[in-house]
């Protein structure tokens, strides 16, 4: 067996469930999430149902002062009386959850590390225990992301709804948030009281917006203040549009099973690993290889998580870019 075939077989062995072992669980017994939904740009609330529980989250989070710091507050409602709620990320308690009335709860993510971590693409789990119903123990999985909405103004300026996290090293920071604007314009400026992005041209009719976390946070808190986009059109004149950047619940799923079985942590994808290895040593912008989380899963992948042929033995098992980034993160 050649090295490529061996590496791929090793990768697939980890990714696929055992089928020939007597101890393997039958597929019919696997627990699947019920009611997994993603938010449209205009959705105000997401719903998910499993067993006796229907849970809904307001998609738009709000900022409040909690324990002396600003925090993103997410509100949810259940159809059952709540007994206990708790928030975590895999293997670690994270954020806070509180019952605020018999059937209502809130999730609190403090500004700084907690908020930045979730906005960068890490899902948040929320356990929900109810007094009645069968079953009465559930886990919700939510994703929160920066999103533009409430656009007003000229159609000559088109602002992408999504703002996406990428791995781009700048000193001790390797997380950047990027958005985009399309306009037939020779120049684009974006203004705001706080949190205006850096703007750069991509091609003749598109521009890139870029925030590091501190400025992104300033742009979304308060979420009621819009950003203003002003384009100098190539055909003459100017066009202007406003839009609000907010922290939005973009997906919700609910299960009564084991959250680690239902939503296992994703592994490094071969295409992402290959892309990283194709960058020269010392490369700092890995946005072409995937999102921030997709890239970070591959930086320190072991031999059975990626195909063998892509490894550069002369640079050690991690390859040139990963070795550089390991040094940066230390």
């Amino acid at each position: 067996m050649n090295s490529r075939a061996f590496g791929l077989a090793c990768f697939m062995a980890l990714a696929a469930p055992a089928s020939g072992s007597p101890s393997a669980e039958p597929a019919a017994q696997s627990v699947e999430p019920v009611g997994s939904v993603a938010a449209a740009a205009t959705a105000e609330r997401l719903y998910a149902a499993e067993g006796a529980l229907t849970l809904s989250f307001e998609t738009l989070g709000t900022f409040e002062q909690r324990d002396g710091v600003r925090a993103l507050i997410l509100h949810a409602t259940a159809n059952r009386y709540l007994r206990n709620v708790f928030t975590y990320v895999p293997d670690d308690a994270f954020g806070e959850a509180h019952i605020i009335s018999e059937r209502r709860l809130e999730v609190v993510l403090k500004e700084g590390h907690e908020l930045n971590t979730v906005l960068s693409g890490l899902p948040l789990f929320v356990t929900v225990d109810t007094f009645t119903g069968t079953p009465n123990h559930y886990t919700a999985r939510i994703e929160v992301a920066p999103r533009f909405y409430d656009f007003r103004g000229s159609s000559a300026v088109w602002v992408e709804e999504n703002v996406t996290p990428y791995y781009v090293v700048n000193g001790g920071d390797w997380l950047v948030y990027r958005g985009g604007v399309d306009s037939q314009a020779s120049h684009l400026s974006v203004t705001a009281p706080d949190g205006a992005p850096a703007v750069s041209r991509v091609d003749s009719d598109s521009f890139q917006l870029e925030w590091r976390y501190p400025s992104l946070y300033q742009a979304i808190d308060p979420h009621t203040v819009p950003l203003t986009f002003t384009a100098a059109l190539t055909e003459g004149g100017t066009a202007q549009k406003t839009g609000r950047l907010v922290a939005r619940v973009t997906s919700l799923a609910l299960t009564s099973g084991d959250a680690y079985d239902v939503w296992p942590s994703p592994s490094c994808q071969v295409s992402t690993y290959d892309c990283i290895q194709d960058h020269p040593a010392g490369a700092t912008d890995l946005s072409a290889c995937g999102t921030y989380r997709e890239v970070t899963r591959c930086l320190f992948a072991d031999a059975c998580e990626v195909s063998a042929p892509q490894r550069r033995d002369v640079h050690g098992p991690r390859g040139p870019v990963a070795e550089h980034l390991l040094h940066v993160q230390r």
Side-chain angles (χ1 to χ4, degrees), residues 43-307:
E44 296 182 356
R45 186 177 287 270
L46 292 181
Y47 293 83
E50 161 95 338
L53 180 65
T54 298
L55 185 69
S56 68
F57 268 83
E58 295 178 8
T59 60
L60 184 59
T62 59
F63 284 91
E64 300 177 13
Q65 198 78 4
R66 296 292 179 91
D67 299 326
V69 299
R70 297 290 284 176
L72 176 69
I73 313 299
L74 307 174
H75 294 95
T77 303
N79 68 331
R80 295 279 173 171
Y81 287 157
L82 300 171
R83 182 166 57 88
N84 184 61
V85 292
F86 179 75
T87 53
Y88 67 100
V89 295
D91 300 321
D92 193 16
F94 200 86
E96 298 176 10
H98 308 128
I99 296 173
I100 55 178
S101 69
E102 291 175 333
R103 297 184 180 184
R104 296 178 63 236
L105 67 95
E106 66 177 16
V107 172
V108 180
L109 295 169
K110 292 180 179 178
E111 192 278 314
H113 170 68
E114 288 183 359
L115 181 59
N116 192 24
T117 297
V118 173
L119 292 179
S120 70
L122 189 67
L124 183 69
F125 294 167
V126 186
T127 60
V128 178
D129 296 323
T130 62
F131 281 105
T132 61
T134 302
N136 60 9
H137 176 78
Y138 303 86
T139 304
R141 178 187 184 274
I142 63 173
E143 292 179 293
V144 184
R147 291 288 186 267
F148 274 109
Y149 91 121
D150 190 25
F151 296 111
R152 305 184 185 194
S154 174
S155 60
V157 180
W158 188 86
V159 182
E160 293 181 9
E161 175 195 346
N162 291 2
V163 173
T164 306
Y166 291 109
Y167 198 111
V168 180
V169 177
N170 181 20
D173 187 5
W174 44 85
L175 171 60
V176 69
Y177 294 89
R178 285 179 176 169
V181 177
D182 288 344
S183 182
Q184 294 284 349
S186 59
H187 177 74
L188 176 74
S189 64
V190 184
T191 57
D194 291 296
V199 180
S200 59
R201 177 178 288 280
V202 177
D203 53 36
S204 61
D205 62 355
S206 62
F207 298 83
Q208 178 178 275
L209 313 177
E210 184 170 295
W211 295 263
R212 294 288 169 172
Y213 171 75
S215 59
L216 180 84
Y217 164 69
Q218 292 173 349
I220 63 177
D221 181 17
H223 65 278
T224 54
V225 178
L227 285 77
T228 300
F229 301 82
T230 304
L233 302 179
T234 53
E235 63 183 17
T238 61
Q240 194 170 84
K241 173 167 281 185
T242 62
R244 289 195 280 163
L245 186 59
V246 299
R248 183 181 287 277
V249 179
T250 57
S251 72
L252 167 64
L254 184 65
T255 185
S256 57
D258 187 320
Y260 290 106
D261 292 336
V262 176
W263 302 298
S265 297
S267 60
C268 169
Q269 297 299 303
V270 176
S271 58
T272 301
Y273 182 85
D274 286 346
C275 177
I276 294 172
Q277 297 306 311
D278 286 340
H279 280 67
T284 57
D285 188 338
L286 299 180
S287 58
C289 300
T291 65
Y292 176 78
R293 294 288 165 183
E294 290 169 341
V295 168
T296 55
R297 284 195 290 267
C298 288
L299 291 181
F300 311 110
D302 65 32
C304 277
E305 291 177 315
V306 295
S307 298

Side-chain angles (χ1 to χ4, degrees), residues 12-34:
M12 295 303 294
L14 285 184
S19 58
S21 170
S23 62
E25 289 290 338
Q29 294 184 13
S30 63
V31 181
E32 297 295 336
V34 175

